[in-house]
Amino acid sequence: MTEATLCATADAAHLITELKAAALAPLEIEGSHHLLLPEGYKHLDITKLVEASQSIPNRKAGTVALSSLQSLLDYCEDQGAQDTAYVFADPDRRTITAVFNDHREDFAGWRDHRAHFSAMFTPEFTTWINNDGSNKAKSQGEFAEFIEDNLADITEPAAQQLLEVATTIQAKTDINFSSAKRLDNGQVQLGYTETIAASAGTNGALSIPKEFQLGLRIFKNGEGYRLRARLKYRLLGGSVKFWYELDRPERAIEDAFAGYVNEVREKSGYRVLVGQA
């Protein structure tokens, strides 16, 4: 092989090497990065890998979960995205979600930069909700214990009267309830006989309120709310069962959540929509 042939072969090999290198070099197209590979290989979008190697991302993204409404307001203020964001309030799920890069009139957003707040019930409200209704009727001892454990949530004057009822039925274990009479003031008087040493014992009467008021925080870190509860009873073979029925607790929940939504609307400067983000 002549020297000229050898040089031509070397030049061709070098050219092929350069073409391969060029083909394998990442290609940037309007901010996205690609690799063009020979036939039999696959196309790879390495945009995220390139971005991950940078000190900062190309744009804001991600969802932050916040546990107080004030934290949501603070985060919204820090982002300063009033022109590109919507805030979505979902009354059914009791959530408020800010989407900072949403679709606006003259702006198309990725909708993936968010702050999410979920209104959570307080332990005390959960306790009263979970024990609401006739299917949660309690025996004398159970009712007394429940009232004593949750007395702080009952407002006066019913609190003291319910405590006296609970104390009485807890102290008098040998009681035979025999009658019930509604008084002029709306309360109910339960007649009973206290058995002493297997004898007839003494008769007595126990007045219980028709209803009572609760002062509760419905949501964690939220304001207090007033709820009305109707006290119910059932005489069964000398014993009595107690339960209560909250007056439209769903209305109280709706009102409390609506207060959150109004606060965001008034303080954040963002446009608030009702629905899911």
Side-chain angles (χ1 to χ4, degrees), residues 134-147:
S134 58
N135 61 326
K136 297 294 184 178
K138 303 182 186 304
S139 65
Q140 297 168 220
E142 291 171 339
F143 174 74
E145 185 176 347
F146 181 83
I147 292 300

PDB file of all heavy atoms in Angstrom, residues 134-147:
ATOM      1  N   SER A 134     -77.242   7.983  68.625  1.00  0.00           N
ATOM      2  CA  SER A 134     -77.821   6.931  69.484  1.00  0.00           C
ATOM      3  C   SER A 134     -77.024   5.637  69.423  1.00  0.00           C
ATOM      4  O   SER A 134     -77.080   4.825  70.347  1.00  0.00           O
ATOM      5  CB  SER A 134     -79.271   6.668  69.076  1.00  0.00           C
ATOM      6  OG  SER A 134     -79.345   6.278  67.712  1.00  0.00           O
ATOM      7  N   ASN A 135     -76.292   5.412  68.327  1.00  0.00           N
ATOM      8  CA  ASN A 135     -75.484   4.194  68.245  1.00  0.00           C
ATOM      9  C   ASN A 135     -74.271   4.248  69.167  1.00  0.00           C
ATOM     10  O   ASN A 135     -73.542   3.266  69.306  1.00  0.00           O
ATOM     11  CB  ASN A 135     -75.031   3.949  66.806  1.00  0.00           C
ATOM     12  CG  ASN A 135     -74.167   5.073  66.267  1.00  0.00           C
ATOM     13  OD1 ASN A 135     -74.375   6.237  66.605  1.00  0.00           O
ATOM     14  ND2 ASN A 135     -73.213   4.749  65.411  1.00  0.00           N
ATOM     15  N   LYS A 136     -74.057   5.399  69.799  1.00  0.00           N
ATOM     16  CA  LYS A 136     -72.968   5.551  70.773  1.00  0.00           C
ATOM     17  C   LYS A 136     -73.523   5.717  72.196  1.00  0.00           C
ATOM     18  O   LYS A 136     -72.859   6.291  73.069  1.00  0.00           O
ATOM     19  CB  LYS A 136     -72.108   6.757  70.409  1.00  0.00           C
ATOM     20  CG  LYS A 136     -71.409   6.643  69.062  1.00  0.00           C
ATOM     21  CD  LYS A 136     -70.373   5.534  69.076  1.00  0.00           C
ATOM     22  CE  LYS A 136     -69.604   5.496  67.758  1.00  0.00           C
ATOM     23  NZ  LYS A 136     -68.562   4.440  67.774  1.00  0.00           N
ATOM     24  N   ALA A 137     -74.755   5.220  72.427  1.00  0.00           N
ATOM     25  CA  ALA A 137     -75.366   5.331  73.756  1.00  0.00           C
ATOM     26  C   ALA A 137     -74.472   4.689  74.809  1.00  0.00           C
ATOM     27  O   ALA A 137     -73.862   3.639  74.580  1.00  0.00           O
ATOM     28  CB  ALA A 137     -76.745   4.668  73.738  1.00  0.00           C
ATOM     29  N   LYS A 138     -74.415   5.317  75.984  1.00  0.00           N
ATOM     30  CA  LYS A 138     -73.488   4.880  77.028  1.00  0.00           C
ATOM     31  C   LYS A 138     -74.254   4.488  78.287  1.00  0.00           C
ATOM     32  O   LYS A 138     -75.293   5.072  78.607  1.00  0.00           O
ATOM     33  CB  LYS A 138     -72.491   5.996  77.345  1.00  0.00           C
ATOM     34  CG  LYS A 138     -71.701   6.470  76.136  1.00  0.00           C
ATOM     35  CD  LYS A 138     -70.700   7.546  76.520  1.00  0.00           C
ATOM     36  CE  LYS A 138     -70.032   8.108  75.276  1.00  0.00           C
ATOM     37  NZ  LYS A 138     -69.385   7.073  74.469  1.00  0.00           N
ATOM     38  N   SER A 139     -73.685   3.553  78.992  1.00  0.00           N
ATOM     39  CA  SER A 139     -74.248   3.168  80.294  1.00  0.00           C
ATOM     40  C   SER A 139     -73.991   4.271  81.307  1.00  0.00           C
ATOM     41  O   SER A 139     -73.303   5.255  81.021  1.00  0.00           O
ATOM     42  CB  SER A 139     -73.610   1.864  80.767  1.00  0.00           C
ATOM     43  OG  SER A 139     -72.222   2.060  81.020  1.00  0.00           O
ATOM     44  N   GLN A 140     -74.534   4.098  82.507  1.00  0.00           N
ATOM     45  CA  GLN A 140     -74.363   5.120  83.541  1.00  0.00           C
ATOM     46  C   GLN A 140     -72.885   5.424  83.795  1.00  0.00           C
ATOM     47  O   GLN A 140     -72.463   6.583  83.781  1.00  0.00           O
ATOM     48  CB  GLN A 140     -75.021   4.649  84.835  1.00  0.00           C
ATOM     49  CG  GLN A 140     -76.521   4.452  84.725  1.00  0.00           C
ATOM     50  CD  GLN A 140     -77.068   3.721  85.931  1.00  0.00           C
ATOM     51  OE1 GLN A 140     -77.928   2.877  85.828  1.00  0.00           O
ATOM     52  NE2 GLN A 140     -76.550   4.039  87.113  1.00  0.00           N
ATOM     53  N   GLY A 141     -72.110   4.374  84.029  1.00  0.00           N
ATOM     54  CA  GLY A 141     -70.692   4.570  84.318  1.00  0.00           C
ATOM     55  C   GLY A 141     -69.932   5.150  83.140  1.00  0.00           C
ATOM     56  O   GLY A 141     -69.078   6.026  83.312  1.00  0.00           O
ATOM     57  N   GLU A 142     -70.219   4.679  81.936  1.00  0.00           N
ATOM     58  CA  GLU A 142     -69.537   5.181  80.741  1.00  0.00           C
ATOM     59  C   GLU A 142     -69.862   6.652  80.501  1.00  0.00           C
ATOM     60  O   GLU A 142     -68.981   7.441  80.143  1.00  0.00           O
ATOM     61  CB  GLU A 142     -69.942   4.356  79.523  1.00  0.00           C
ATOM     62  CG  GLU A 142     -69.416   2.932  79.536  1.00  0.00           C
ATOM     63  CD  GLU A 142     -70.021   2.085  78.437  1.00  0.00           C
ATOM     64  OE1 GLU A 142     -71.109   2.457  77.926  1.00  0.00           O
ATOM     65  OE2 GLU A 142     -69.415   1.054  78.080  1.00  0.00           O
ATOM     66  N   PHE A 143     -71.132   7.002  80.699  1.00  0.00           N
ATOM     67  CA  PHE A 143     -71.534   8.392  80.517  1.00  0.00           C
ATOM     68  C   PHE A 143     -70.842   9.298  81.534  1.00  0.00           C
ATOM     69  O   PHE A 143     -70.341  10.377  81.192  1.00  0.00           O
ATOM     70  CB  PHE A 143     -73.051   8.509  80.656  1.00  0.00           C
ATOM     71  CG  PHE A 143     -73.559   9.919  80.626  1.00  0.00           C
ATOM     72  CD1 PHE A 143     -73.606  10.634  79.445  1.00  0.00           C
ATOM     73  CD2 PHE A 143     -73.998  10.539  81.798  1.00  0.00           C
ATOM     74  CE1 PHE A 143     -74.071  11.941  79.420  1.00  0.00           C
ATOM     75  CE2 PHE A 143     -74.472  11.840  81.779  1.00  0.00           C
ATOM     76  CZ  PHE A 143     -74.506  12.547  80.586  1.00  0.00           C
ATOM     77  N   ALA A 144     -70.795   8.860  82.777  1.00  0.00           N
ATOM     78  CA  ALA A 144     -70.145   9.654  83.822  1.00  0.00           C
ATOM     79  C   ALA A 144     -68.670   9.872  83.499  1.00  0.00           C
ATOM     80  O   ALA A 144     -68.143  10.990  83.629  1.00  0.00           O
ATOM     81  CB  ALA A 144     -70.291   8.956  85.172  1.00  0.00           C
ATOM     82  N   GLU A 145     -68.001   8.816  83.077  1.00  0.00           N
ATOM     83  CA  GLU A 145     -66.577   8.923  82.747  1.00  0.00           C
ATOM     84  C   GLU A 145     -66.350   9.846  81.551  1.00  0.00           C
ATOM     85  O   GLU A 145     -65.410  10.650  81.535  1.00  0.00           O
ATOM     86  CB  GLU A 145     -66.008   7.528  82.453  1.00  0.00           C
ATOM     87  CG  GLU A 145     -64.514   7.513  82.210  1.00  0.00           C
ATOM     88  CD  GLU A 145     -63.975   6.108  82.012  1.00  0.00           C
ATOM     89  OE1 GLU A 145     -64.718   5.139  82.303  1.00  0.00           O
ATOM     90  OE2 GLU A 145     -62.823   5.974  81.577  1.00  0.00           O
ATOM     91  N   PHE A 146     -67.225   9.746  80.541  1.00  0.00           N
ATOM     92  CA  PHE A 146     -67.077  10.578  79.341  1.00  0.00           C
ATOM     93  C   PHE A 146     -67.252  12.055  79.693  1.00  0.00           C
ATOM     94  O   PHE A 146     -66.477  12.912  79.226  1.00  0.00           O
ATOM     95  CB  PHE A 146     -68.106  10.166  78.286  1.00  0.00           C
ATOM     96  CG  PHE A 146     -68.025  10.955  77.013  1.00  0.00           C
ATOM     97  CD1 PHE A 146     -67.109  10.619  76.029  1.00  0.00           C
ATOM     98  CD2 PHE A 146     -68.868  12.048  76.799  1.00  0.00           C
ATOM     99  CE1 PHE A 146     -67.018  11.360  74.859  1.00  0.00           C
ATOM    100  CE2 PHE A 146     -68.794  12.782  75.630  1.00  0.00           C
ATOM    101  CZ  PHE A 146     -67.871  12.439  74.656  1.00  0.00           C
ATOM    102  N   ILE A 147     -68.252  12.374  80.500  1.00  0.00           N
ATOM    103  CA  ILE A 147     -68.488  13.763  80.889  1.00  0.00           C
ATOM    104  C   ILE A 147     -67.311  14.318  81.678  1.00  0.00           C
ATOM    105  O   ILE A 147     -66.839  15.439  81.439  1.00  0.00           O
ATOM    106  CB  ILE A 147     -69.789  13.893  81.696  1.00  0.00           C
ATOM    107  CG1 ILE A 147     -71.006  13.603  80.798  1.00  0.00           C
ATOM    108  CG2 ILE A 147     -69.912  15.287  82.301  1.00  0.00           C
ATOM    109  CD1 ILE A 147     -71.159  14.529  79.617  1.00  0.00           C
TER     110      ILE A 147
END
